[in-house]
Amino acid sequence: MTPRPATAQPAQYPRLMTAAHRCLVDLMTSVPALDPHVWFEQRQGAFGMVTHVPFPTLNGVWLHDSSATTSDVTELLDALPAEGMMHCLQAAPGVRESATAIAEARGMTPGPDVPLMVLDRVPAEVKTSGLRIRELGRPEFDLRTEVAAAAFETDPADMRAATALFSRVPGYRMYIGDVDCQPVTTAVSIATGEGVGIFDVATPPEHRGHGYGAAITAHAIRDGMAGGARFSWLQSSPEGYGVYERLGFVTVEQWGLWIAMGHAE
């Protein structure tokens, strides 16, 4: 089991913890309005969503507030129109205990914790030899798709579907990093309220170990904060946690994650 990263004492970051939590929930609940094919249902403190993008963490139920009841969460999971599709249950720290009971009762598989991390300053530029970072326009989005698919070892068509959906969010920006005209790393940022969220930082295996991921992350944050953001935030994978920690990010929440195969309707 992957050990949980250390979490900052909430007293150190009360405003940022609340603001980042709100940015995450606001971003996710804004997605259904972008595409009529997205299924969405909301209850007090929880919501269910099926984007039909075939990644389990983009389909499922999210518990974000202690006002969510067990019956509401169970009903949302039962209502998911996700036959045969892997989906998730995610839970903020305050509702982790009830989410664990629901997930265990349904035979869902626990995944690694998902740290919600924040950075309350502009990071220094990360110097890397020969790396040129630029923002991509929509006609070049497929270039980023190929790099991200290679990094995440997934089908480019699945990455393309995720990009097609989330690139409709206002404040979406996509970056690519090149060395000798060869794409080696990529990242996405989305301005959400007073924060800039960082997503899908991806470097294919053959290009790792040179600091490219840190460099493109810092670049995206600097752009976002130059545009008016007051802090940056992200949800880290276990593999990326050390990179973000070295940039100065601090974990303010640990979200629980469980995965299940789609149920029969």
Side-chain angles (χ1 to χ4, degrees):
M1 179 179 294
T2 303
R4 296 186 196 176
T7 303
Q9 292 299 314
Q12 291 179 265
Y13 298 91
R15 188 189 68 81
L16 283 181
M17 179 172 62
T18 301
H21 182 108
R22 176 47 52 194
C23 282
L24 171 61
V25 174
D26 285 351
L27 173 61
M28 294 300 290
T29 55
S30 74
V31 170
L34 306 174
D35 189 331
H37 297 104
V38 173
W39 178 88
F40 181 77
E41 190 170 324
Q42 192 163 21
R43 306 290 176 85
Q44 186 72 26
F47 62 89
M49 181 167 64
V50 174
T51 65
H52 302 288
V53 176
F55 297 129
T57 52
L58 294 181
N59 303 282
V61 173
W62 285 256
L63 287 76
H64 57 86
D65 189 282
S66 59
S67 61
T69 67
T70 297
S71 61
D72 280 346
V73 174
T74 299
E75 287 174 10
L76 286 171
L77 284 165
D78 287 341
L80 292 176
E83 183 177 3
M85 179 178 287
M86 293 179 69
H87 59 271
C88 72
L89 174 64
Q90 294 193 45
V95 286
R96 189 186 187 103
E97 185 175 346
S98 59
T100 299
I102 294 169
E104 289 179 349
R106 302 177 75 93
M108 301 181 78
T109 301
D113 279 1
V114 184
L116 178 62
M117 307 182 77
V118 298
L119 180 63
D120 61 353
R121 57 179 171 79
V122 178
E125 182 180 0
V126 178
K127 299 291 186 180
T128 52
S129 178
L131 182 67
R132 171 178 169 265
I133 299 171
R134 61 191 176 93
E135 185 176 349
L136 296 180
R138 190 169 294 274
E140 293 185 282
F141 278 7
D142 270 357
L143 171 62
R144 185 260 173 190
T145 295
E146 295 298 328
V147 177
F152 294 131
E153 299 181 339
T154 192
D155 189 335
D158 296 345
M159 291 301 306
R160 194 170 295 112
T163 297
L165 177 60
F166 283 91
S167 62
R168 304 176 192 181
V169 177
Y172 182 98
R173 303 175 75 172
M174 182 183 288
Y175 297 88
I176 199 81
D178 300 310
V179 174
D180 296 329
C181 298
Q182 180 180 9
V184 297
T185 191
T186 182
V188 164
S189 73
I190 302 178
T192 52
E194 61 179 325
V196 57
I198 304 299
F199 305 90
D200 292 346
V201 179
T203 303
E206 65 271 23
H207 299 302
R208 293 173 187 165
H210 301 287
Y212 299 151
I216 201 166
T217 300
H219 183 99
I221 294 168
R222 290 168 67 86
D223 273 3
M225 297 188 82
R230 300 180 64 182
F231 68 93
S232 54
W233 64 276
L234 55 82
Q235 286 187 296
S236 177
S237 66
E239 295 78 12
Y241 185 82
V243 173
Y244 305 132
E245 191 175 46
R246 287 190 291 274
L247 283 172
F249 277 90
V250 173
T251 301
V252 291
E253 286 187 336
Q254 293 283 358
W255 283 60
L257 170 68
W258 297 263
I259 303 293
M261 289 299 299
H263 56 266
E265 294 183 334

